[in-house]
Structures are given as structure tokens and as C-alpha cells.
């Protein structure tokens, strides 16, 4: 017994969260630091005794996203403080002061659609003689409720419902929200609807965790799934992996304890990552540092300047090879053929080659597949005035002339019609073009880069692509490998794309939470960088704060595009649009129908078909 007490005291003296879970999934050790990190106990000076909300108490609420991280609060629940406003919707941000279960006392409140919240959203009142205010500081991710000049702050990552209860007669603060409300079962909704809350700041009323099971204390999530795997011997433990616990970011290491007969339990070590944004920032900087070093390495061996390929990231061996070839080809005017699956970065690479060669010269990109066959000649080579019915009398410059002195990039070259293939070959051999209807040639000085996701050799064998043209364009072939063959590039790509999209939409920089990053890194990306880009763009649109969570990453629905027929793709896009609209307009169906311009019957039919609730 004595030994056990000493052991607990030692555990409490460690400045790192330490928990031991036995084979029956019960907590046997839960040291002081772990209790602090998970919110079982508090370090704050402020305190209040245990109790419940009572009629006549003043309730002050700050909630940045009704229905999220507040115990699933519904706008109707606000009737408990006499707010019966049908315009308040789930997803709104709300500040409110009212008296509990008193239909005489007028509440004061304001609300705003959650996604349009201002940097400082504030409500201040002299309410029943007490000076009270509530505010949401979105930039600082801070909610502050002030009662008689004392601040009750709560930081949030994504969203949280903050509440302070004041005794209506004495003005004493009876309850304030703190981190760890989930383990203590003290969400805004639970306490507002009468749940008993524990004391804070006094040791007598501490939540009892020793002997409790995982589910008694926490919401089951990926961390506990991993622990269960280790307990049954399916996994050997993990080191420094980021998870969420109580909606708080934590970094965990899990070690199995046991002998040759099996696992007896696990030791879980946790570190608070509330300052995770800083950590992620640090991590990004380290990666960038490594990237720079690696560029320097390249410089030594390949003479590639440090800022080359700024927008074409990838440090895997395969990508180094691609960059090396691209760099070499940029030093010459050879025709380059870039092959690779759809969305792997062929167009981007073509631009990089051009840019390295001469960034001031024109770069004209043409998708051979996107121009109607009867227009392709006049689009590529232009025409003289009156060349055909409907032609401009002044004539028109074609893409080749526009690219004169620079690069023309012919994407999807395999789709160039046969008769145009002959003309292209002529241009390549003679460096001249003929505008449609012209009798005199125009000289052009152009580098031609072509790309395809098809097998051109096969096309030659099938007779759909000219062999002589194939040899002409294929002087310098570069193959861009699919993502599945260069997984180590994922991290760099994710960060590059994230910054690119935030810049494009003029958004504050965003970061991935540890689990979000895990999710995106562990998905088996088939081959497509564009697909990755789409997922990141969607996650950015769905995420309201500057941290992206796993639920914003919709990858289970992605299917390799090549095996999806047209109808399926349309259905997937429809489903996506509906889900995003429901989120954006907080479920306001009337508004969504108006915005999307669809009738009620079509709207409900599609909701039903796609199983959207
Ligand atoms: N290595 C990379 N670094 C940064 N961004 C990349 C990289 N590769 C691709 N991208 C981005 O992914 C998207 C798709 O790339 P791109 O359009 O170049 O693919 P593609 O192979 O030409 O596609 P397709 O020919 O099938 O239309 C682009 O937005 C591009 O900027």
C-alpha cells in the first residue's frame, strides 16, 4: 500500500502527463500533470463550489458556433433564459445574458452567422445591477466573459460554448466554464439543462478517474482505438504522435507493458499541444530549412539555383530526377515531351522549364483536346482577313505567333487531329507557319513543349499518332511520376498547396491539426496532385478557424477519376455542392434552394437520393 502511494507521488512529480491503463481498460495511474492537461483539475486561482444552475441565476453565454462543442446546444434551449428568437440558427455565434427560468426578465443578446463573425464580437450590459460583458475575440481564439471586472477566459481551437453563472441575489459567480468540460460532463448544454457540476479550485470535489474506464471519462476516438489495438497485441506502441483528447491537441507516446504472455496494460505519455499552432509553425520552418539545404545540395551537384522550381515541390529521388532533367532541358531549346498521369503536374513543369529558360518571354498554353476540330488550325496558326465566312476582316493572330520568342505548351497532344499533326510537323521542321488563307509564311522562333497522359507509343502503333511527329516532339522526354510513387513529397506538397490556396483567396494562413495531417498523409493517394489540391481547397472552405481538423478533410468520397463514369462524377459533384451549401447556410433550406436556383421537389429529391440529412 505504502509502495503504491510512493509510486503515485513519484508519478505526480513528473512534469509530463502519465497515465496507466490496465488490460480491463481502467485508469490505474493518472498523474497530476495528466489531470491538468485533460482538465480534470485546474491550476487557476479562481474557484467555485459544486452545484447546479437555479431559477433566478444570471446566465452569461458566449458561443462562437451554436451546436458545436457546446454539448449540442439547440437554439430552442435558449428559452431557458427567455430567448425565443426563431432567427437564431445552429451554427450562429451568440452572446447572451438572461435570467434562468424567469419569463419576466428580458434577456439581452446578439447573434451573427458564425462564418461572418467579426474579429471582436462584444456585448456589455449593466444587468440587474451587475456589470457583465461577453465577447468573442476570433483572432485570438479567445472567449471572455467578465463579471464585475473579473475575466473568465476560455481559449478554443475550433469552437466552444462558454458560460458563466452568477447567483442572481448575491452576485457570486457559481460556475464558469474551463477546458476539460467534456471529461467533467459540463458542456454548456449539460449545465444549462440542470446537470450537476463539480467544484473548481478545491481538491475535495475532484473528478474520480482512478478505476474508471476509458468511456467513463473520455469520448472514444482514434487515440483510444490505438490503445485498444496495443492492449490486444495488434500494435507494438507508438511514439510522439498527435491526437485530440477532450477536443484539445495532445502529443502522445504509448508503450505496452507486459511479458511474453501478453500485454498487461499501456503507459500513455501526453504533452499539451494547446500552443500547437506555434509548434506546427516551427515544424514548417524546419521543413523549409531542410528544403533549402536540399536545394543547396542540388546546387552543388546539379547547378540548380536555390529558387528554381519554387512552385514545383518534391524532394523524393524521383522528383529530384525530374527536376534535374527539367533543369537540363531548360538550358537548351530542345522540344520536350512530358508524360504522366492526369493531374500529376505536367503543365506546372512545362511552365517551370519555360520560366527557367526565359521568364520574360511569352508562355502560351493550349489544350489540344479543348478546341473544336474545325477551329483548331485557325486557333493555332491564326488567319488572314476574310479567310472564311465569319472571319474578322483584320485577321487574327494564332497561338503560335503569340508565343513567338517564347514557349508554346501543347497539352493533350495525343488528341491533336491527324491533319493537324502533319501541319505541326511542318512547323517543327521549317520553323514557319501559314495563317489560314495566307500564301506567305510567317517565321516563328519557338520552343515547343508537349504533354500527354496517354501512351503515345501505343497511339503510334494503333495509327492514331504519326511516328515522325512522335520522334520530333520526343527529343527530351520527362516522365512525372504519380504521387503513389513519391509519398515522401506529400508533406511539402500539402504545405505548398495550403499556402497557395490561402493566398489565392486572401485568407489568413491556415494549418493542419496533427490528426488532420495524419489523415491526409495516410490516405493512399492514387496519383493525382490536383485531387490533393481539391481536398485541401475543400477543407479550407469548410474550416472556420485557422486550424484544419480531420472532419474538414473529405477524402473517403474521392474515387480515382479514371474509373468513374460521367454520371457518377456528376452525382458526386451534386452531393458535394449540397453538403457544402447546407453547411454554409447553416441548414437554411429555403436560402439554399434560392442560391442554387433549384425547385423544392428537385432539392428534396436530391437530399433523399444522396442520403443527406
Ligand atoms: N510538384 C508540384 N508542386 C506544386 N504544385 C503542383 C505540383 N504538381 C502539381 N501541382 C499542382 O497541381 C495541380 C495540377 O497540376 P497540373 O495541371 O500541372 O497537372 P497535369 O499533369 O498538367 O494535369 P492534366 O494534364 O491531366 O490536366 C496544379 O494546380 C499544379 O499547380
Amino acid at each position: 500500500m505504502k509502495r503504491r502511494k510512493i509510486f503515485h507521488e513519484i508519478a505526480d512529480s513528473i512534469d509530463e502527463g502519465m497515465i496507466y491503463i490496465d488490460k480491463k481498460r481502467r485508469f490505474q495511474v493518472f498523474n497530476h500533470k495528466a489531470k491538468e492537461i485533460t482538465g480534470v483539475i485546474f491550476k487557476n486561482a479562481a474557484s467555485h463550489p459544486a452545484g447546479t444552475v437555479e431559477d433566478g441565476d444570471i446566465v452569461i453565454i458566449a458561443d462562437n458556433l451554436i451546436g458545436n462543442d457546446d454539448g449540442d446546444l439547440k437554439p430552442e434551449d435558449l428559452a431557458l433564459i427567455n430567448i425565443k428568437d426563431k432567427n437564431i440558427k445552429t451554427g450562429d455565434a451568440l452572446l447572451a445574458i438572461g435570467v434562468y427560468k424567469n419569463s419576466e426578465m428580458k434577456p439581452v443578446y446578439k447573434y451573427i452567422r458564425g462564418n461572418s463573425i467579426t474579429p471582436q464580437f462584444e456585448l456589455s450590459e449593466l444587468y440587474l445591477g451587475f456589470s457583465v460583458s461577453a465577447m468573442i475575440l476570433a483572432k485570438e481564439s479567445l472567449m471572455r466573459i467578465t463579471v464585475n471586472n473579473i475575466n473568465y477566459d476560455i481559449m478554443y481551437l475550433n469552437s466552444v460554448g462558454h458560460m458563466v453563472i452568477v447567483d442572481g441575489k448575491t452576485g457570486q459567480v457559481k460556475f464558469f466554464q474551463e477546458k476539460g468540460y467534456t471529461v467533467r460532463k459540463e458542456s454548456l448544454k449539460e449545465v444549462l439543462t440542470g446537470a450537476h457540476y463539480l467544484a473548481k479550485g478545491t481538491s475535495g470535489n475532484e473528478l474520480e478517474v482512478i478505476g474508471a474506464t476509458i468511456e467513463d471519462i473520455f469520448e472514444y476516438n482514434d487515440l483510444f482505438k490505438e490503445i485498444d489495438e496495443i492492449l490486444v497485441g495488434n500494435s507494438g506502441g507508438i511514439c510522439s504522435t498527435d491526437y485530440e483528447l477532450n477536443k484539445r491537441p495532445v502529443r502522445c507516446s504509448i508503450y505496452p507493458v507486459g511479458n511474453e504472455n501478453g500485454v498487461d496494460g499501456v503507459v500513455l505519455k501526453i504533452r499539451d499541444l494547446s500552443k500547437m499552432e506555434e509548434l506546427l509553425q516551427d515544424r514548417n520552418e524546419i521543413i523549409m530549412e531542410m528544403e533549402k539545404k536540399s536545394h543547396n545540395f542540388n546546387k552543388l551537384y546539379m547547378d540548380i539555383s536555390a529558387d528554381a522550381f519554387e512552385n514545383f515541390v518534391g524532394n523524393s529521388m524521383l522528383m529530384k530526377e525530374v527536376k534535374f532533367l527539367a533543369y537540363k532541358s531548360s538550358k537548351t531549346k530542345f522540344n520536350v515531351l512530358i508524360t504522366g498521369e492526369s493531374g500529376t503536374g505536367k503543365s506546372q513543369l512545362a511552365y517551370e522549364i519555360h520560366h527557367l529558360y526565359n521568364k520574360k518571354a511569352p508562355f502560351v498554353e493550349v489544350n489540344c483536346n479543348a478546341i473544336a476540330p474545325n477551329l483548331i488550325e485557325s486557333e493555332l496558326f491564326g488567319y488572314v482577313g476574310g479567310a472564311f465566312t465569319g472571319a474578322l476582316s483584320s485577321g487574327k493572330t494564332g497561338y503560335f505567333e503569340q508565343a513567338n520568342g517564347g514557349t508554346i505548351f501543347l497539352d493533350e497532344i495525343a488528341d491533336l487531329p491527324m491533319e493537324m499533326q502533319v501541319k505541326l510537323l511542318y512547323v517543327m521542321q521549317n520553323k514557319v507557319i501559314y495563317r489560314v488563307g495566307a500564301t506567305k509564311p510567317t517565321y516563328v522562333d519557338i520552343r515547343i513543349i508537349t504533354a500527354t497522359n496517354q501512351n503515345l507509343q501505343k497511339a503510334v502503333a494503333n495509327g492514331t499518332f504519326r511516328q515522325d511527329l512522335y520522334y520530333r516532339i520526343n527529343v527530351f522526354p520527362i516522365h512525372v511520376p504519380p504521387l503513389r510513387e513519391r509519398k515522401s513529397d506529400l508533406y511539402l506538397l500539402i504545405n505548398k498547396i495550403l499556402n497557395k490556396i490561402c493566398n489565392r483567396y486572401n485568407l489568413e494562413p491556415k494549418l493542419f491539426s496533427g490528426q488532420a495531417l495524419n489523415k491526409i498523409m495516410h490516405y493512399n493517394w492514387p496519383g493525382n496532385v490536383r485531387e490533393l489540391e481539391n481536398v485541401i481547397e475543400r477543407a479550407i472552405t469548410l474550416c472556420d478557424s485557422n486550424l484544419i481538423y480531420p472532419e474538414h478533410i473529405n477524402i473517403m468520397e474521392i474515387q480515382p477519376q479514371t474509373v468513374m463514369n460521367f454520371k457518377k462524377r456528376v452525382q458526386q459533384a451534386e452531393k458535394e455542392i449540397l453538403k457544402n451549401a447546407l453547411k454554409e447556410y447553416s441548414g437554411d433550406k429555403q436560402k439554399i434552394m434560392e442560391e442554387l436556383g433549384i425547385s423544392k421537389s428537385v432539392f428534396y429529391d436530391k437530399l433523399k437520393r444522396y442520403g443527406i440529412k
Side-chain angles (χ1 to χ4, degrees):
M1 201 57 193
K2 205 171 161 205
R3 211 188 280 166
R4 179 175 263 234
K5 191 164 174 275
I6 292 171
F7 173 73
H8 280 278
E9 275 173 14
I10 292 172
D12 278 345
S13 69
I14 299 172
D15 197 32
E16 187 171 36
M18 200 182 107
I19 295 172
Y20 178 73
I21 304 170
D22 69 15
K23 189 140 184 86
K24 291 187 179 150
R25 309 169 74 255
R26 290 182 187 278
F27 296 105
Q28 296 303 351
V29 177
F30 210 115
N31 78 344
H32 199 271
K33 190 73 189 177
K35 285 180 183 168
E36 251 178 49
I37 294 172
T38 55
V40 169
I41 52 169
F42 300 90
K43 249 178 35 183
N44 297 6
S47 66
H48 68 68
T52 49
V53 62
E54 286 166 296
D55 298 2
D57 285 345
I58 301 170
V59 174
I60 308 132
I61 293 176
D63 193 334
N64 71 333
L65 213 62
I66 298 177
N68 257 311
D69 296 319
D70 52 16
D72 204 13
L73 187 77
K74 301 270 180 298
E76 307 83 83
D77 297 325
L78 298 169
L80 288 165
I81 53 168
N82 209 15
I83 298 178
K84 297 168 186 159
D85 186 335
K86 289 223 159 41
N87 292 317
I88 301 178
K89 306 270 183 243
T90 299
D92 287 354
L94 170 85
L95 299 173
I97 308 167
V99 177
Y100 195 66
K101 290 195 180 164
N102 183 332
S103 54
E104 310 283 292
M105 276 307 300
K106 235 174 121 202
V108 285
Y109 63 93
K110 64 206 266 195
Y111 63 93
I112 191 169
R113 291 287 104 96
N115 51 11
S116 44
I117 193 167
T118 48
Q120 177 154 345
F121 184 51
E122 188 174 356
L123 177 70
S124 286
E125 275 299 311
L126 194 64
Y127 197 79
L128 294 182
F130 303 112
S131 149
V132 177
S133 74
M135 66 175 85
I136 302 173
L137 300 164
K139 237 179 161 174
E140 289 84 357
S141 300
L142 174 78
M143 305 231 180
R144 168 165 293 169
I145 292 178
T146 310
V147 180
N148 290 333
N149 297 323
I150 297 178
N151 294 335
Y152 297 88
D153 288 352
I154 183 164
M155 301 284 295
Y156 61 92
L157 288 174
N158 195 24
S159 51
V160 78
H162 185 19
M163 180 165 69
V164 173
I165 301 173
V166 177
D167 185 318
K169 294 184 210 96
T170 63
Q172 281 291 319
V173 168
K174 292 177 63 176
F175 169 85
F176 57 84
Q177 199 95 52
E178 252 288 5
K179 71 171 181 180
Y181 62 90
T182 52
V183 287
R184 298 163 67 96
K185 318 249 180 300
E186 290 173 2
S187 69
L188 202 169
K189 164 93 171 224
E190 282 160 314
V191 175
L192 189 68
T193 49
H196 185 85
Y197 51 80
L198 295 163
K200 288 195 186 86
T202 53
S203 55
N205 223 316
E206 199 175 278
L207 177 70
E208 195 41 74
V209 282
I210 301 299
T213 65
I214 290 172
E215 281 80 5
D216 289 339
I217 305 292
F218 295 108
E219 264 173 46
Y220 193 76
N221 64 6
D222 286 355
L223 169 61
F224 297 110
K225 213 189 272 171
E226 186 62 43
I227 288 176
D228 280 338
E229 288 293 310
I230 297 171
L231 281 173
V232 296
N234 286 346
S235 166
I238 55 164
C239 193
S240 290
T241 306
D242 297 346
Y243 285 100
E244 274 149 32
L245 191 57
N246 275 344
K247 307 278 178 195
R248 315 291 307 171
V250 286
R251 179 158 297 166
C252 304
S253 296
I254 316 173
Y255 309 101
V257 176
N259 52 33
E260 63 280 2
N261 299 324
V263 181
D264 289 332
V266 296
V267 172
L268 167 64
K269 279 193 350 187
I270 47 177
R271 270 181 56 204
D272 194 354
L273 290 188
S274 296
K275 290 199 181 290
M276 188 162 100
E277 294 179 25
E278 283 169 28
L279 273 170
L280 284 175
Q281 202 60 47
D282 286 353
R283 186 161 63 176
N284 284 356
E285 272 163 24
I286 291 168
I287 297 274
M288 269 158 60
E289 201 50 44
M290 279 165 55
E291 208 180 349
K292 256 195 231 147
K293 280 202 180 116
S294 156
H295 269 304
N296 290 338
F297 171 85
N298 286 343
K299 200 173 169 184
L300 275 177
Y301 290 94
M302 297 187 237
D303 189 33
I304 297 180
S305 72
D307 59 352
F309 299 112
E310 222 188 315
N311 295 312
F312 191 74
V313 300
N315 265 342
S316 58
M317 278 321 284
L318 284 175
M319 281 304 266
K320 277 187 175 154
E321 210 174 293
V322 167
K323 285 183 182 177
F324 172 69
L325 290 173
Y327 186 75
K328 286 279 172 204
S329 76
S330 77
K331 298 287 155 213
T332 69
K333 270 190 103 184
F334 289 149
N335 299 325
V336 179
L337 171 65
I338 307 175
T339 55
E341 290 175 22
S342 177
T344 45
K346 300 186 294 297
S347 311
Q348 186 72 47
L349 186 65
Y351 180 75
E352 298 294 331
I353 293 172
H354 160 80
H355 192 77
L356 281 171
Y357 181 68
N358 183 355
K359 57 180 133 206
K360 291 202 182 97
F363 176 78
V364 176
E365 181 169 355
V366 183
N367 187 333
C368 301
N369 193 12
I371 310 173
N374 59 334
L375 291 181
I376 199 153
E377 186 176 2
S378 58
E379 290 290 321
L380 287 181
F381 303 137
Y383 58 79
V384 293
F388 47 83
T389 340
L392 293 173
S393 57
S394 54
K396 194 182 161 196
T397 315
Y399 293 133
F400 270 83
E401 273 182 79
Q402 287 171 30
N404 203 1
T407 306
I408 191 162
F409 171 52
L410 300 172
D411 201 2
E412 315 274 13
I413 190 71
D415 293 324
L416 196 68
M418 261 305 192
E419 63 278 17
M420 283 311 298
Q421 290 181 23
V422 187
K423 294 194 174 167
L424 178 59
L425 185 64
Y426 184 84
V427 177
M428 293 180 111
Q429 282 166 341
N430 302 298
K431 308 251 175 260
V432 293
I433 57 147
Y434 282 88
R435 284 187 175 201
V436 174
T439 45
K440 279 198 202 142
T442 308
Y443 288 91
V444 283
D445 173 25
I446 286 181
R447 169 209 281 276
I448 299 178
I449 303 180
T450 48
T452 182
N453 56 18
Q454 296 185 34
N455 184 334
L456 270 189
Q457 272 166 315
K458 238 188 196 162
V460 170
N462 294 340
T464 55
F465 203 84
R466 290 183 67 102
Q467 189 169 41
D468 43 6
L469 180 61
Y470 174 64
Y471 287 131
R472 274 275 165 192
I473 60 174
N474 196 22
V475 178
F476 208 117
I478 304 179
H479 179 71
V480 185
L483 260 185
R484 63 177 175 279
E485 287 173 24
R486 49 183 171 107
K487 284 204 149 170
S488 58
D489 288 333
L490 255 177
Y491 189 86
L492 292 179
L493 268 170
I494 290 168
N495 274 303
K496 185 80 201 174
I497 293 170
L498 190 64
N499 290 336
K500 180 168 91 172
I501 297 174
C502 288
N503 281 342
R504 187 191 300 155
Y505 295 120
N506 225 353
L507 296 170
E508 300 247 19
K510 290 183 191 271
L511 296 162
F512 281 91
S513 78
Q515 283 199 47
L517 199 61
N518 272 352
K519 182 169 176 182
I520 207 161
M521 295 281 285
H522 287 117
Y523 178 69
N524 201 11
W525 295 99
N528 204 319
V529 182
R530 188 176 296 114
E531 204 173 273
L532 175 70
E533 205 167 79
N534 290 344
V535 168
I536 296 177
E537 180 155 5
R538 207 172 325 147
I540 290 174
T541 337
L542 292 178
C543 136
D544 293 317
S545 70
N546 52 355
L547 260 187
I548 297 173
Y549 284 93
E551 53 267 37
H552 298 131
I553 298 168
N554 221 341
I555 36 185
M556 292 328 285
E557 286 178 25
I558 308 174
Q559 310 203 359
Q561 301 231 332
T562 42
V563 295
M564 233 201 306
N565 66 26
F566 181 68
K567 198 166 157 202
K568 260 201 176 150
R569 282 197 213 180
V570 172
Q571 285 173 346
Q572 186 173 302
E574 282 187 346
K575 191 172 170 187
E576 210 44 43
I577 291 168
L578 286 170
K579 278 167 93 180
N580 286 345
L582 280 163
K583 232 182 181 133
E584 187 176 343
Y585 296 108
S586 314
D588 184 342
K589 295 186 174 142
Q590 191 56 42
K591 182 93 186 130
I592 295 170
M593 285 184 264
E594 277 166 29
E595 288 296 320
L596 297 180
I598 53 173
S599 70
K600 201 169 172 182
S601 58
V602 170
F603 178 66
Y604 281 100
D605 176 60
K606 289 197 186 297
L607 286 190
K608 197 169 152 205
R609 187 176 324 154
Y610 301 135
I612 302 174
K613 300 235 166 66

